[in-house]
Amino acid sequence: MATDAGNPMPRFPAGFLWGVSTSAHQIEGAVDEREPSVWDAFTAGPGRVKDGSTAAVACDHYHRYREDVALLAGLGVDAYRFSVSWPRVNSPGGPEFYDRLVDALCAAGVRPVPTLFHWDLPARLDWLERDTASRFAEYVSLVAERLGDRVSKWITLNEPAEHTLLGHALGVHAPGKQLLFDALPVAHHQLLAHGLAVRALRAAGATDIGIANSHGPVWAASEEPADAEAADFYDVLLNRLFAEPLILGEYPCGLGELMPGDVESDLKVIAEPIDWYGVNYYAPAKVGAPHGTEIDFGGITLPAELPFSVREIEGRPVTDFGWPVVPEGLTELLTTFRDRYGDRLPPVVITENGCSYEGIDDQDRIAYLDAHVRALHRAVQAGVDVRGYFVWSLLDNFEWAEGYARRFGLVHVDYDTLERTPKASYGWFRDMLRAQG
Ligand code: BGC
């Protein structure tokens, strides 16, 4: 990879928030100590997770959180983004666990940044039902009352786009539904849940509220009109469908007509002002007209009937997951959003960025992160108001349908002994943060 590594990292604005991210289902384990989630039900089925694993133990963070907080303190991050498991909050001892975690973070001088939903819906609920949005707001009120004296920055949802697409349209994630475009209500109900959660958090006195949406530039496979049209369509589905209801208070391209309920009045809730906009960035997508055949998309099979096809981005290094490494895509994404939404775009925080590579001497991960942090700085120089950057992830963890085969951590986890070993990238990030001051 072409890299500036070795040159000093440019300095970010004062007060820039540096952190790392995880999510409950991917690290906590202790599934018997809470009610089941859709992911427990999904992974119990055969052939769902590539290595046949489940998150029953994962990193056993539920019992080893003190060790993980010590790793965060050693890293010197300002903030830690974790998720609160809704099924655990519903279960005896669950709220107390998050009390202990938040207390330990505060004692270590690390700011807790909880995400209130990262895909682990209680198994008895369903995002196809509008009522799930109201149930979510009730749960958010409980969490805000419980943790609000120590938590001052909140994230409502993680990637409603992926949860809709992978979980409900294609069925490769929990709950395993293959509804294709009939999954659109799942997007609407999550967006509604986001808006209701913002209101619930404000009612509890919270002030610093955002969302973590996944975005990436979409490149047309060629200048042919059919490819450009397919790429625009994909951009609507991946980027605009989840950004515009929040930022502009409207669905793009008339998609609101396909959504259930009183969409106009729901959009007023969905567009409840937020304090910052979280972006999870991994890679751009190159998209062209449909091939008429099934396509492999980073290990996921996309059905032939979709009105687009996702193509390989050639000439780039790839991570172990097969994802292309395109740091300048992050600059492009952020400047595009700034140009599209102007003053209506809230300040941005990169809530996830990272890569899967094997090994403890993970020079590839260092090169990836170094290049992406520099690309982020170029967006800052171009005038995008960026306020923070979180690496995915602190620990190797349960990578959803890939099981334990993909390692995203700055810290290696031995899944037999659960021993944690900081990788070379942990030292790189720590030193970079020290140099930022
Ligand atoms: C998700 C994480 C996931 C990561 C890497 C994001 O889409 O929020 O849960 O582990 O990407 O695939």
Side-chain angles (χ1 to χ4, degrees), residues 22-23 26 81 118-119 158-159 162 166 173 212 214 280 282 321 323 352 354-356 392-393 397-400 402 406 408:
T22 62
S23 92
Q26 294 177 271
R81 174 181 171 226
H118 198 126
W119 303 350
N158 179 72
E159 298 191 355
E162 262 63 26
L166 303 178
H173 277 191
S214 73
N280 294 354
Y282 288 90
F321 218 139
W323 297 354
E352 282 181 31
C355 49
S356 61
W392 183 270
S393 178
N397 59 50
F398 178 73
E399 177 54 33
W400 308 114
E402 298 285 318
R406 307 290 174 209
F408 278 86

Side-chain angles (χ1 to χ4, degrees), residues 21 51 72 86 133 148 170 177 187-188 196-197 199 201 205 221 242 280 306 325 339 345 355 370 372 391 411:
S21 298
D51 59 6
L72 290 162
W86 186 355
L170 300 174
K177 297 190 175 170
H188 184 69
L196 292 171
R199 288 188 174 174
L201 287 167
F242 293 89
N280 294 354
L306 291 177
V325 179
D339 295 346
L345 178 67
C355 49
D370 182 280
H372 283 76
V391 173
V411 175

Side-chain angles (χ1 to χ4, degrees), residues 335-410:
T335 52
T336 302
F337 264 49
R338 191 266 323 272
D339 295 346
R340 267 184 195 172
Y341 305 124
D343 290 345
R344 299 185 72 175
L345 178 67
V348 171
V349 174
I350 303 304
T351 33
E352 282 181 31
N353 175 236
C355 49
S356 61
Y357 288 113
E358 287 294 314
I360 289 178
D361 184 19
D362 55 344
Q363 299 302 320
D364 285 338
R365 179 172 288 100
I366 294 175
Y368 179 102
L369 295 175
D370 182 280
H372 283 76
V373 173
R374 289 174 199 275
L376 182 60
H377 192 267
R378 281 191 273 281
V380 173
Q381 279 178 319
V384 184
D385 184 358
V386 188
R387 304 281 177 93
Y389 174 86
F390 288 68
V391 173
W392 183 270
S393 178
L394 172 67
L395 303 169
D396 291 339
N397 59 50
F398 178 73
E399 177 54 33
W400 308 114
E402 298 285 318
Y404 297 101
R406 307 290 174 209
R407 293 183 177 270
F408 278 86
L410 298 177

Side-chain angles (χ1 to χ4, degrees), residues 283-314:
K286 187 166 155 189
V287 173
H291 290 305
T293 51
E294 288 188 342
I295 28 172
D296 181 74
F297 176 46
I300 296 163
T301 302
L302 296 181
E305 60 264 43
L306 291 177
F308 55 80
S309 60
V310 180
R311 311 282 176 85
E312 189 187 337
I313 295 179
E314 287 152 358

